Amino acid sequence: MSEINQVLEKEILPELGLVCITTSDAVRFRTVTRKRLLQLAETEQEKVLRELYADNLKRLDKAIDFCCANNIRLYRMTSALFPFADTDLGETVLHSMAEELRNTGDRAISLNIRLVLHPDQFVVLSSDKPDVVKNSIKILATHALILDMLGQPRSPYALMNIHGGKGDRTSQLTSVIRDLPESIRSRLTFENDEYAYSSSELLEVCLETAVPMVFDAHHHVIHEHLESYDDPSVAEMLAAARTTWSVPELQLVHISNGKEFFADPRHSDLITEMPECYYQAPWIEVEAKFKELAIEKLRAEWLGANVREFSNVS
């Protein structure tokens, strides 16, 4: 697949991405608790994981179908798609499904749907605890294996996005990044957060390590104590983050709104406030609780009402 050709064929309108599940029951996934799994004999554990992985893969196919039917071109897969895949047993089960995984990934590519991941908060590459870093790399390696088995490119097109982790440890962070396996490093992106790493601090890390930066406008305004997405620093950081992407057309950003007040870190149901500069963002993950309904609202009220006028002016 030529990801460059795909992005060049895109419309100039920003693509709004779906995060993990839908408000409706259209996209849902199953899981199993560690306690329940470990209560079973190993042969039963394997049976449970095989059935669970097969079912969740079918559900991923349905998620791809949903995105295609609703003209959604970016889908963030759940990091819990294949629970316990970072164990020997889980990896064995995954490899037994190689053909099915590749078929699903090939469908996403053929339908021009970009698949991305956001590993959970336990992935901390800047931790001062070696065991935490080791386990974080193990988790990332498992996600990279899943993306490989889905036939997704080793590039930020199929990114794995994480936060900087523990603050004031940029030297540790950059050192760990340089030693990561290619399957991880080629897909890794960093996102600024509300408290530990500011946009400007993380930008320096990204520039030094050649890791693309996923700019989150809401995290930025919380960290900088801003009162509006129209603060000039939002547009400045969006543009600066774009310089970290070797293919600018692949740049991904996040948007969310505060639930009860502007700087509330809890996500609102819908998106009612957008940065003006986000008209220039090629890919936007919509982090709102009402998922596809939030995307529909943005298309009708934000894209539909403003993008054409903005494009003509620019």
Side-chain angles (χ1 to χ4, degrees):
M1 179 195 72
S2 172
E3 67 212 51
I4 307 299
N5 289 340
Q6 284 194 355
V7 296
L8 290 178
E9 291 171 1
K10 277 172 26 65
E11 296 176 308
I12 63 169
L13 305 184
E15 297 283 4
L16 305 180
L18 176 66
V19 174
C20 298
I21 62 172
T22 53
T23 300
S24 72
D25 292 334
V27 180
R28 287 288 188 274
F29 295 93
R30 292 174 52 206
T31 191
V32 61
T33 65
R34 182 175 296 276
K35 180 178 179 180
R36 183 195 163 202
L37 190 68
L38 295 181
Q39 286 175 338
L40 304 173
E42 188 168 327
T43 54
E44 284 299 308
Q45 290 181 25
E46 182 175 351
K47 180 182 178 182
V48 167
L49 289 185
R50 284 186 184 279
E51 292 177 352
L52 178 58
Y53 287 11
D55 191 17
N56 274 356
L57 188 59
K58 290 178 181 177
R59 291 168 186 246
L60 177 58
D61 270 311
K62 290 181 179 178
I64 292 169
D65 289 339
F66 179 90
C67 289
C68 183
N70 290 275
N71 196 30
I72 295 171
R73 299 303 173 195
L74 182 139
Y75 177 61
R76 183 204 289 182
M77 297 183 292
T78 172
S79 61
L81 184 63
F82 301 117
F84 307 102
D86 58 339
T87 65
D88 290 342
L89 178 58
E91 186 172 335
T92 297
V93 174
L94 270 184
H95 281 294
S96 73
M97 300 170 54
E99 183 177 355
E100 293 91 336
L101 280 160
R102 186 54 184 255
N103 288 340
T104 296
D106 285 350
R107 283 190 65 244
I109 290 172
S110 68
L111 294 170
N112 198 20
I113 294 173
R114 184 179 179 185
L115 299 180
V116 300
L117 272 169
H118 195 336
D120 61 38
Q121 72 263 23
F122 301 111
V123 175
V124 183
L125 296 180
S126 60
S127 175
D128 52 4
K129 298 179 180 178
D131 286 348
V132 172
V133 175
K134 182 179 179 180
N135 189 57
S136 297
I137 295 173
K138 183 180 180 182
I139 292 171
L140 289 173
T142 298
H143 289 315
L145 172 64
I146 291 169
L147 288 168
D148 279 345
M149 296 187 73
L150 287 167
Q152 301 304 296
R154 289 188 173 186
S155 88
Y157 178 87
L159 62 81
M160 300 189 298
N161 183 53
I162 63 173
H163 292 280
K166 193 167 184 178
D168 300 320
R169 293 183 63 82
T170 55
S171 296
Q172 153 95 5
L173 191 56
T174 55
S175 176
V176 171
I177 292 167
R178 291 192 179 107
D179 292 334
L180 289 173
E182 193 267 342
S183 63
I184 298 174
R185 200 181 190 289
S186 60
R187 296 182 172 114
L188 192 66
T189 62
F190 278 128
E191 175 188 351
N192 58 296
D193 59 60
E194 304 103 312
Y195 307 114
Y197 281 93
S198 70
S199 302
S200 57
E201 289 171 329
L202 199 62
L203 176 66
E204 292 182 10
V205 174
C206 290
L207 289 171
E208 184 175 350
T209 58
V211 171
M213 176 178 170
V214 172
F215 177 61
D216 188 307
H218 196 60
H219 290 171
H220 177 75
V221 298
I222 293 173
H223 191 283
E224 303 302 323
H225 308 290
L226 305 178
E227 297 180 356
S228 169
Y229 289 127
D230 294 328
D231 186 274
S233 67
V234 176
E236 291 167 3
M237 286 310 309
L238 174 70
R242 183 172 295 129
T243 68
T244 66
W245 293 77
S246 59
V247 181
E249 293 87 353
L250 292 179
Q251 183 187 20
L252 176 66
V253 301
H254 290 178
I255 189 61
S256 57
N257 288 172
K259 182 177 181 179
E260 294 185 2
F261 53 93
F262 180 68
D264 189 345
R266 297 171 298 173
H267 291 174
S268 60
D269 293 337
L270 299 168
I271 304 296
T272 57
E273 297 184 66
M274 286 288 284
E276 182 81 7
C277 61
Y278 265 28
Y279 289 130
Q280 303 171 37
W283 301 84
I284 304 172
E285 278 190 28
V286 179
E287 297 186 318
K289 290 189 175 181
F290 281 1
K291 307 291 184 176
E292 75 274 24
L293 302 181
I295 292 174
E296 290 175 12
K297 177 180 173 65
L298 282 173
R299 283 176 170 170
E301 299 179 7
W302 183 64
L303 287 180
N306 297 303
V307 168
R308 288 185 179 85
E309 178 182 350
F310 179 84
S311 298
N312 290 335
V313 170
S314 62

